[in-house]
Amino acid sequence: MTLAEPAPLPRAGVRAFPAPAPVRTRGPLAAVLVANAVSGCGTTMTLMAIPWFVLQTTGSATQTGLVGAIEAVGLVLSSVLGGPLVGRFGAKRVSMLSDLVAAVAVGSIPLLHATNGLPFWQLVVLAMVLGLSRAPGDTARYSMLPRLTELAGTTVERAASGYDGAGRATRMLGGPLAGSLIALTGPPQVLVIDAVTFLFSALVIAAGVRHMDAEAIERRHYLSELREGLSYLRSDRLIAAIAGMIAVTNALDSATITVLMPSYARDVLHSSVALGMIIGVFGACALTGTLVYGWIGHRIHHRRLLFTTAFILVGPVRLLIYTVDPGLPAILLVVAVAGFAAGSINPLLAVVEYGRIPVRIRSTVIGAIGACALVGMPLGSLLGGLAVETWDVHLTFAAGGLIYLAATLCPLLFPIWRQMDARY
């Protein structure tokens, strides 16, 4: 065994300078936040404009549902398959390409409609392409955050909260904006605006995220990386438990948003304005909760308790309040509390995921988690509609609330969830 040589002493008259501190810049992180916000706004507008376009041009609710289902299938597939693309080609490239493909798919709808009438099969193909384009871009931008957070000299909690908050704010604004523009100009013109938002997002990433230009890309076999990522999802019991819980709760949330709340607003509150108020209050309070978590989240060490409490307020409490018909003011109060609690969930999960998942397969695993979150949503909406027709909206809310409660108590009942409190 040889001893390490001591560092040479500085010569007389020569000053020893410390190593230069790493350069800190928040520009790339800000660019990702802006791109995510703009892309999210475009996605929200597209989710409203395409169904309206299909209804206006075909008059068929069945064809409208088919287009939405095809897009959802593409989204789920790309969530699983798109993760390895990020590792192979780089997050910046995949983010830009995803937005460019979305711009072409969305922009082609009004263009083809104005030229050859857009046969329905072409619309279905474009819907599939649009669904396939969404998840890789989201995964790529999400995967950039840890490196850009370190570059900016801030905490993961604040960066993740800013990322989630930017998306929540634009999604909250994108719906009303799309509705107003559809009424003023029509769906084809709104789809043109949507295409422009995706192009703008790609340009922001291209110009603002220069520190990712030289990111190291490991050229591994696509299927090998996909298998490794899915294998990790099975081996990390906490991450697998999170994915399973989110799959159940997202299915219940999908049923609540698409079926139960509209039915309740129509049959009990007798007001679409009331439904808009409920959605708006939840969104505004969720944005507030996200910002507060970004401010103080790094001081919170009992993540499991916060995670469980937030989910109980978001799920069982919010759903079960509708079973007693307390009136709109009481509903808005409960929804406000639930929305504020919801704001901490995604940033908290980001801290756990970034801390546990190895960097080289992070995008693949995150994509798989996203697919788990999405896969139950179509089934949730379908079962929610059947339950409302078979029982009534009150019993359906009660059943959904109890299932939600069972899912959200898992972090308190199973020891594996204690690992959420580990220091990352």
Side-chain angles (χ1 to χ4, degrees):
M1 183 177 68
T2 59
L3 297 177
E5 295 182 0
L9 296 174
R11 291 175 296 169
V14 178
R15 296 181 61 187
F17 294 97
V23 177
R24 302 294 186 187
T25 174
R26 297 187 177 183
L29 178 60
V32 169
L33 298 185
V34 171
N36 182 60
V38 174
S39 180
C41 183
T43 298
T44 303
M45 294 174 70
T46 302
L47 290 175
M48 289 190 62
I50 288 182
W52 206 281
F53 175 84
V54 179
L55 282 173
Q56 188 178 76
T57 55
T58 68
S60 171
T62 301
Q63 290 183 332
T64 303
L66 177 60
V67 170
I70 290 296
E71 184 180 347
V73 169
L75 180 59
V76 173
L77 288 175
S78 65
S79 295
V80 177
L81 304 177
L85 293 177
V86 178
R88 185 172 180 82
F89 298 107
K92 178 178 178 178
R93 294 181 182 87
V94 172
S95 177
M96 293 169 55
L97 181 61
S98 177
D99 280 332
L100 291 174
V101 172
V104 171
V106 173
S108 296
I109 295 175
L111 177 62
L112 293 175
H113 174 68
T115 54
N116 67 353
L118 188 61
F120 184 70
W121 70 267
Q122 292 183 359
L123 181 59
V124 169
V125 171
L126 291 172
M128 173 62 80
V129 173
L130 181 61
L132 290 171
S133 72
R134 283 177 53 193
D138 292 339
T139 301
R141 288 186 289 272
Y142 192 76
S143 300
M144 291 183 199
L145 281 186
R147 181 175 177 183
L148 299 184
T149 298
E150 183 179 358
L151 191 65
T154 187
T155 64
V156 175
E157 287 84 357
R158 290 182 178 177
S161 297
Y163 184 88
D164 190 57
R168 286 185 183 277
T170 52
R171 287 192 295 270
M172 185 175 63
L173 297 175
L177 179 61
S180 301
L181 290 175
I182 288 172
L184 292 173
T185 64
Q189 289 74 18
V190 175
L191 291 174
V192 172
I193 297 173
D194 293 347
V196 173
T197 64
F198 291 120
L199 287 174
F200 183 79
S201 175
L203 290 174
V204 169
I205 293 294
V209 193
R210 297 186 179 277
H211 287 78
M212 300 293 286
D213 286 335
E215 59 184 319
I217 301 169
E218 187 177 355
R219 300 290 184 181
R220 292 186 291 159
H221 194 275
Y222 179 90
L223 293 180
S224 298
E225 184 173 351
L226 182 60
R227 284 194 297 268
E228 186 178 359
L230 295 177
S231 176
Y232 177 85
L233 185 60
R234 293 191 298 268
S235 64
D236 190 323
R237 293 174 57 201
L238 175 60
I239 296 297
I242 289 173
M245 178 177 168
I246 297 299
V248 174
T249 57
N250 271 15
L252 294 169
D253 287 336
S254 179
T256 301
I257 294 170
T258 61
V259 180
L260 302 187
M261 288 176 57
S263 298
Y264 189 89
R266 181 193 62 188
D267 299 337
V268 179
L269 299 177
H270 308 292
S271 172
S272 61
V273 175
L275 177 60
M277 292 175 63
I278 292 171
I279 295 173
V281 167
F282 184 89
C285 292
L287 175 59
T288 304
T290 299
L291 297 177
V292 171
Y293 182 83
W295 179 34
I296 64 172
H298 63 285
R299 303 175 186 173
I300 298 174
H301 303 294
H302 300 288
R303 300 191 193 97
R304 181 174 64 117
L305 181 59
L306 174 62
F307 180 78
T308 306
T309 303
F311 252 117
I312 289 175
L313 292 173
V314 170
V317 172
R318 180 170 61 100
L319 267 61
L320 293 175
I321 191 66
Y322 293 101
T323 64
V324 296
D325 294 338
L328 183 59
I331 290 175
L332 291 177
L333 177 61
V334 171
V335 165
V337 175
F340 183 83
S344 64
I345 292 176
N346 287 342
L348 188 153
L349 287 177
V351 173
V352 176
E353 290 167 1
Y354 293 149
R356 294 180 67 89
I357 302 172
V359 174
R360 61 192 179 90
I361 58 170
R362 181 179 287 155
S363 59
T364 302
V365 178
I366 288 174
I369 295 172
C372 291
L374 295 169
V375 71
M377 294 176 66
L379 181 61
S381 296
L382 177 62
L383 293 179
L386 292 174
V388 170
E389 291 183 357
T390 303
W391 305 328
D392 70 356
V393 69
H394 295 88
L395 286 177
T396 306
F397 266 122
L402 293 177
I403 297 172
Y404 219 128
L405 179 62
T408 53
L409 288 178
C410 288
L412 298 182
L413 299 178
F414 297 97
I416 187 64
W417 288 89
R418 296 172 185 170
Q419 295 182 19
M420 290 190 78
D421 294 332
R423 297 184 64 180
Y424 298 117

